[in-house]
mmCIF file of all heavy atoms in Angstrom:
data_model
loop_
_atom_site.group_PDB
_atom_site.id
_atom_site.type_symbol
_atom_site.label_atom_id
_atom_site.label_comp_id
_atom_site.label_asym_id
_atom_site.label_seq_id
_atom_site.Cartn_x
_atom_site.Cartn_y
_atom_site.Cartn_z
ATOM 1 N N LEU B 66 43.666 25.881 97.563
ATOM 2 C CA LEU B 66 44.095 26.750 96.470
ATOM 3 C C LEU B 66 44.051 26.060 95.113
ATOM 4 O O LEU B 66 43.946 26.719 94.085
ATOM 5 C CB LEU B 66 45.522 27.262 96.728
ATOM 6 C CG LEU B 66 45.707 28.274 97.845
ATOM 7 C CD1 LEU B 66 47.142 28.793 97.862
ATOM 8 C CD2 LEU B 66 44.766 29.450 97.678
ATOM 9 N N GLY B 67 44.157 24.726 95.121
ATOM 10 C CA GLY B 67 44.162 24.008 93.847
ATOM 11 C C GLY B 67 42.921 24.261 93.032
ATOM 12 O O GLY B 67 42.989 24.436 91.798
ATOM 13 N N ALA B 68 41.764 24.288 93.697
ATOM 14 C CA ALA B 68 40.501 24.516 92.990
ATOM 15 C C ALA B 68 40.461 25.892 92.327
ATOM 16 O O ALA B 68 39.772 26.094 91.321
ATOM 17 C CB ALA B 68 39.339 24.368 93.962
ATOM 18 N N LEU B 69 41.203 26.852 92.889
ATOM 19 C CA LEU B 69 41.274 28.196 92.303
ATOM 20 C C LEU B 69 42.343 28.286 91.224
ATOM 21 O O LEU B 69 42.113 28.790 90.127
ATOM 22 C CB LEU B 69 41.584 29.231 93.395
ATOM 23 C CG LEU B 69 40.556 29.472 94.487
ATOM 24 C CD1 LEU B 69 41.157 30.347 95.567
ATOM 25 C CD2 LEU B 69 39.336 30.140 93.903
ATOM 26 N N LEU B 70 43.540 27.768 91.558
ATOM 27 C CA LEU B 70 44.692 27.993 90.687
ATOM 28 C C LEU B 70 44.689 27.139 89.431
ATOM 29 O O LEU B 70 45.043 27.620 88.352
ATOM 30 C CB LEU B 70 45.980 27.738 91.471
ATOM 31 C CG LEU B 70 46.400 28.816 92.469
ATOM 32 C CD1 LEU B 70 47.622 28.360 93.252
ATOM 33 C CD2 LEU B 70 46.708 30.120 91.731
ATOM 34 N N LEU B 71 44.313 25.870 89.556
ATOM 35 C CA LEU B 71 44.420 24.974 88.404
ATOM 36 C C LEU B 71 43.568 25.457 87.220
ATOM 37 O O LEU B 71 44.099 25.599 86.105
ATOM 38 C CB LEU B 71 44.043 23.546 88.809
ATOM 39 C CG LEU B 71 44.352 22.483 87.755
ATOM 40 C CD1 LEU B 71 45.855 22.410 87.474
ATOM 41 C CD2 LEU B 71 43.854 21.112 88.202
ATOM 42 N N PRO B 72 42.271 25.756 87.409
ATOM 43 C CA PRO B 72 41.492 26.272 86.274
ATOM 44 C C PRO B 72 42.021 27.615 85.771
ATOM 45 O O PRO B 72 42.021 27.868 84.557
ATOM 46 C CB PRO B 72 40.078 26.421 86.844
ATOM 47 C CG PRO B 72 40.053 25.617 88.091
ATOM 48 C CD PRO B 72 41.452 25.618 88.613
ATOM 49 N N ALA B 73 42.471 28.475 86.695
ATOM 50 C CA ALA B 73 42.976 29.793 86.294
ATOM 51 C C ALA B 73 44.238 29.666 85.445
ATOM 52 O O ALA B 73 44.412 30.364 84.435
ATOM 53 C CB ALA B 73 43.251 30.644 87.532
ATOM 54 N N LEU B 74 45.150 28.770 85.827
ATOM 55 C CA LEU B 74 46.383 28.552 85.067
ATOM 56 C C LEU B 74 46.076 27.996 83.678
ATOM 57 O O LEU B 74 46.674 28.410 82.682
ATOM 58 C CB LEU B 74 47.306 27.588 85.828
ATOM 59 C CG LEU B 74 47.984 28.140 87.081
ATOM 60 C CD1 LEU B 74 48.541 27.006 87.939
ATOM 61 C CD2 LEU B 74 49.108 29.109 86.716
ATOM 62 N N ARG B 75 45.138 27.048 83.608
ATOM 63 C CA ARG B 75 44.773 26.479 82.307
ATOM 64 C C ARG B 75 44.146 27.546 81.413
ATOM 65 O O ARG B 75 44.447 27.634 80.220
ATOM 66 C CB ARG B 75 43.786 25.316 82.506
ATOM 67 C CG ARG B 75 44.338 24.139 83.272
ATOM 68 C CD ARG B 75 45.375 23.350 82.454
ATOM 69 N NE ARG B 75 44.770 22.678 81.328
ATOM 70 C CZ ARG B 75 45.043 22.936 80.054
ATOM 71 N NH1 ARG B 75 45.929 23.864 79.735
ATOM 72 N NH2 ARG B 75 44.454 22.277 79.088
ATOM 73 N N GLN B 76 43.285 28.367 82.001
ATOM 74 C CA GLN B 76 42.622 29.425 81.230
ATOM 75 C C GLN B 76 43.620 30.475 80.744
ATOM 76 O O GLN B 76 43.456 31.061 79.677
ATOM 77 C CB GLN B 76 41.541 30.089 82.094
ATOM 78 C CG GLN B 76 40.638 31.042 81.318
ATOM 79 C CD GLN B 76 39.514 31.579 82.180
ATOM 80 O OE1 GLN B 76 39.381 31.194 83.347
ATOM 81 N NE2 GLN B 76 38.703 32.462 81.631
ATOM 82 N N ALA B 77 44.694 30.683 81.538
ATOM 83 C CA ALA B 77 45.707 31.678 81.162
ATOM 84 C C ALA B 77 46.648 31.169 80.072
ATOM 85 O O ALA B 77 47.490 31.925 79.584
ATOM 86 C CB ALA B 77 46.514 32.074 82.395
ATOM 87 N N GLY B 78 46.546 29.895 79.711
ATOM 88 C CA GLY B 78 47.364 29.373 78.621
ATOM 89 C C GLY B 78 48.486 28.441 79.034
ATOM 90 O O GLY B 78 49.251 27.976 78.186
ATOM 91 N N PHE B 79 48.611 28.148 80.335
ATOM 92 C CA PHE B 79 49.632 27.198 80.788
ATOM 93 C C PHE B 79 49.161 25.772 80.479
ATOM 94 O O PHE B 79 47.966 25.481 80.533
ATOM 95 C CB PHE B 79 49.882 27.340 82.292
ATOM 96 C CG PHE B 79 50.544 28.630 82.683
ATOM 97 C CD1 PHE B 79 49.791 29.716 83.103
ATOM 98 C CD2 PHE B 79 51.922 28.763 82.610
ATOM 99 C CE1 PHE B 79 50.399 30.914 83.463
ATOM 100 C CE2 PHE B 79 52.544 29.954 82.975
ATOM 101 C CZ PHE B 79 51.777 31.031 83.387
ATOM 102 N N SER B 80 50.114 24.883 80.183
ATOM 103 C CA SER B 80 49.761 23.504 79.864
ATOM 104 C C SER B 80 49.226 22.804 81.105
ATOM 105 O O SER B 80 49.480 23.224 82.238
ATOM 106 C CB SER B 80 50.988 22.751 79.338
ATOM 107 O OG SER B 80 51.946 22.583 80.386
ATOM 108 N N GLU B 81 48.496 21.711 80.874
ATOM 109 C CA GLU B 81 47.938 20.967 82.004
ATOM 110 C C GLU B 81 49.052 20.387 82.877
ATOM 111 O O GLU B 81 48.961 20.404 84.109
ATOM 112 C CB GLU B 81 47.036 19.844 81.499
ATOM 113 C CG GLU B 81 46.361 19.078 82.640
ATOM 114 C CD GLU B 81 45.445 17.979 82.149
ATOM 115 O OE1 GLU B 81 45.860 17.211 81.257
ATOM 116 O OE2 GLU B 81 44.323 17.883 82.662
ATOM 117 N N HIS B 82 50.134 19.880 82.220
ATOM 118 C CA HIS B 82 51.231 19.305 82.986
ATOM 119 C C HIS B 82 51.897 20.351 83.874
ATOM 120 O O HIS B 82 52.193 20.097 85.047
ATOM 121 C CB HIS B 82 52.269 18.667 82.051
ATOM 122 C CG HIS B 82 52.054 17.211 81.843
ATOM 123 N ND1 HIS B 82 51.077 16.734 81.001
ATOM 124 C CD2 HIS B 82 52.651 16.117 82.385
ATOM 125 C CE1 HIS B 82 51.096 15.406 81.016
ATOM 126 N NE2 HIS B 82 52.038 15.007 81.857
ATOM 127 N N TYR B 83 52.141 21.540 83.305
ATOM 128 C CA TYR B 83 52.782 22.595 84.099
ATOM 129 C C TYR B 83 51.871 23.003 85.257
ATOM 130 O O TYR B 83 52.326 23.168 86.395
ATOM 131 C CB TYR B 83 53.103 23.809 83.231
ATOM 132 C CG TYR B 83 53.691 24.945 84.037
ATOM 133 C CD1 TYR B 83 55.057 25.009 84.288
ATOM 134 C CD2 TYR B 83 52.874 25.930 84.593
ATOM 135 C CE1 TYR B 83 55.600 26.013 85.060
ATOM 136 C CE2 TYR B 83 53.398 26.942 85.374
ATOM 137 C CZ TYR B 83 54.766 26.986 85.598
ATOM 138 O OH TYR B 83 55.285 27.989 86.376
#
Side-chain angles (χ1 to χ4, degrees):
L66 289 186
L69 294 171
L70 285 175
L71 190 62
L74 288 164
R75 297 289 292 116
Q76 190 175 357
F79 292 95
S80 68
E81 183 179 47
H82 266 77
Y83 177 86

